[in-house]
Amino acid sequence: MYGIKSCAPIIREPQACALALGALENRIVPNDAQDSDEIYKESVMMTATLSCDHRVVDGAVGAQWLSAFKSHVENPTTLLL
């Protein structure tokens, strides 16, 4: 909404985690496609930051959740199953 790329949310009781999403932006990334002659491609990217209260949620569990969140955002059809 305001074009902010990333931020760190503050956790308040009784929350255990807080998710912050940054603005979508176009970035130039290497092209991994074998059938393309282009070296680089334009890709839409977003920053997601998860703050966890480590008294409640272990950092490894938070990282696993953020990885699953990333997979669902990249392939939203998995949310229908």
Side-chain angles (χ1 to χ4, degrees):
M1 183 166 138
Y2 296 109
I4 297 171
K5 291 183 182 178
S6 66
C7 65
I10 298 172
I11 304 167
R12 298 177 49 160
E13 283 190 46
Q15 297 175 335
C17 297
L19 179 67
L21 300 175
L24 294 172
E25 63 180 358
N26 293 329
R27 293 187 190 170
I28 304 297
V29 295
N31 191 358
D32 295 334
Q34 300 294 332
D35 57 347
S36 176
D37 293 333
E38 299 293 324
I39 299 172
Y40 299 104
K41 66 178 180 177
E42 188 175 23
S43 183
V44 179
M45 295 197 167
M46 175 182 70
T47 302
T49 305
L50 183 68
S51 294
C52 298
D53 184 349
H54 287 275
R55 297 174 293 179
V56 180
V57 177
D58 185 45
V61 174
Q64 289 174 349
W65 185 90
L66 199 55
S67 176
F69 176 78
K70 175 184 177 279
S71 298
H72 291 307
V73 168
E74 289 176 344
N75 190 8
T77 56
T78 59
L79 295 172
L80 299 174
L81 301 175

